[in-house]
Amino acid sequence: MTDFQEFVSKTMLWAEGLAAVVSLLYYNRVKNQYWIFFIFYLVFIFLGEAYGRWGKFPYFSKSHYYNYFLMPIQFIFFYWLYAAKSLRKPKLFFVLSLLYLLSFIPNELYFSGSKIVFAFNYTFGCLVLMLLVVMEYYKQINSQEILNFSKNRMFYINLGVTLSYIGTLPFMALFSVLINYMEIWNIYFSYFLISGVVMYILFASSFIWGKQNS
């Protein structure tokens, strides 16, 4: 990584920490709502990423830690938040989560040991998440509260997910190709890091400006 990318990478970890701390400050306000699980999620992700940066991996590789543990938890949590809670379609949550988990089968059969393992799962997970993001935008646009979008907690979350997960979908999908074009790869990798910082700032903002019952 370049010096700039290293700086932004460290900044992203602290942005995750900031989002976790801000969410904890609102614990008492949301402890009786499903948003409490968003707090747990932000704290978990910060601790998980911190371990990924500084922890030791004596029994499994860092790649396995992210591909088979941290990333699946992130995707499945967002499927739950979008489908089961915001869109109120719990059956959709179970279907999409099952499809995502089944995507590990072709991974093991055809891509085991390849650099594309992470890209394949990330791409599939993001495609599923993109469907939910579009559905959420449609819901927000057609809501009677559209003029008060800035008070909608899901507005900030959806924008953050769009910029980071969806915005970096081409980068991850074409990762093994772009690595041969380092100038383009560096530009997109920098965006990947910057969008991560922005996403967690938006997550923190969702607690500050979002309505408690949104």
Side-chain angles (χ1 to χ4, degrees):
M1 289 192 293
T2 65
D3 291 340
F4 172 75
Q5 291 167 347
E6 182 65 30
F7 170 76
V8 179
S9 178
K10 293 178 180 178
T11 302
M12 183 164 65
L13 179 62
W14 295 117
E16 293 168 353
L18 173 66
V21 170
V22 170
S23 69
L24 286 171
L25 294 176
Y26 287 80
Y27 178 87
N28 288 331
R29 300 188 188 184
V30 302
K31 63 181 180 181
N32 295 321
Q33 303 174 22
Y34 66 83
W35 289 109
I36 192 174
F37 294 104
F38 190 39
I39 295 177
F40 295 155
Y41 168 81
L42 292 174
V43 173
F44 173 82
I45 290 301
F46 170 65
L47 295 177
E49 290 285 359
Y51 180 81
R53 177 177 286 271
W54 294 305
K56 297 181 179 180
F57 300 88
Y59 303 110
F60 48 86
S61 68
K62 182 180 290 191
S63 175
H64 287 160
Y65 172 71
Y66 279 98
N67 291 334
Y68 299 107
F69 178 65
L70 207 58
M71 286 307 305
I73 287 177
Q74 293 181 53
F75 279 121
I76 291 175
F77 173 81
F78 281 117
Y79 298 163
W80 171 81
L81 182 62
Y82 275 85
K85 293 303 178 182
S86 183
L87 299 172
R88 299 180 181 178
K89 298 178 183 292
K91 290 184 179 179
L92 180 62
F93 159 66
F94 288 111
V95 170
L96 295 180
S97 296
L98 179 61
L99 289 175
Y100 171 68
L101 293 175
L102 288 176
S103 72
F104 282 87
I105 295 177
N107 238 358
E108 296 301 318
L109 293 177
Y110 303 108
F111 303 112
S112 181
S114 171
K115 293 181 180 180
I116 203 172
V117 169
F118 178 83
F120 178 81
N121 282 111
Y122 190 93
T123 300
F124 187 85
C126 278
L127 287 173
V128 174
L129 187 55
M130 183 168 63
L131 170 65
L132 295 172
V133 165
V134 172
M135 293 174 67
E136 178 63 27
Y137 276 126
Y138 181 81
K139 172 192 169 185
Q140 293 181 17
I141 291 173
N142 289 278
S143 172
Q144 294 180 350
E145 298 293 324
I146 182 61
L147 296 179
N148 297 317
F149 69 91
S150 62
K151 297 180 180 180
N152 183 352
R153 184 166 290 152
M154 279 302 295
F155 167 76
Y156 298 96
I157 295 173
N158 208 39
L159 180 58
V161 169
T162 300
L163 293 174
S164 185
Y165 286 91
I166 310 306
T168 58
L169 175 57
F171 177 61
M172 289 300 179
L174 302 174
F175 188 89
S176 58
V177 176
L178 292 177
I179 199 69
N180 296 316
Y181 304 90
M182 288 305 300
E183 184 175 355
I184 299 176
W185 188 92
N186 275 316
I187 293 173
Y188 220 148
F189 183 62
S190 295
Y191 171 80
F192 168 78
L193 296 172
I194 294 171
S195 66
V197 174
V198 174
M199 179 178 69
Y200 282 100
I201 291 175
L202 286 169
F203 286 174
S205 300
S206 73
F207 284 95
I208 298 172
W209 293 305
K211 291 191 301 183
Q212 303 309 314
N213 61 349
S214 63

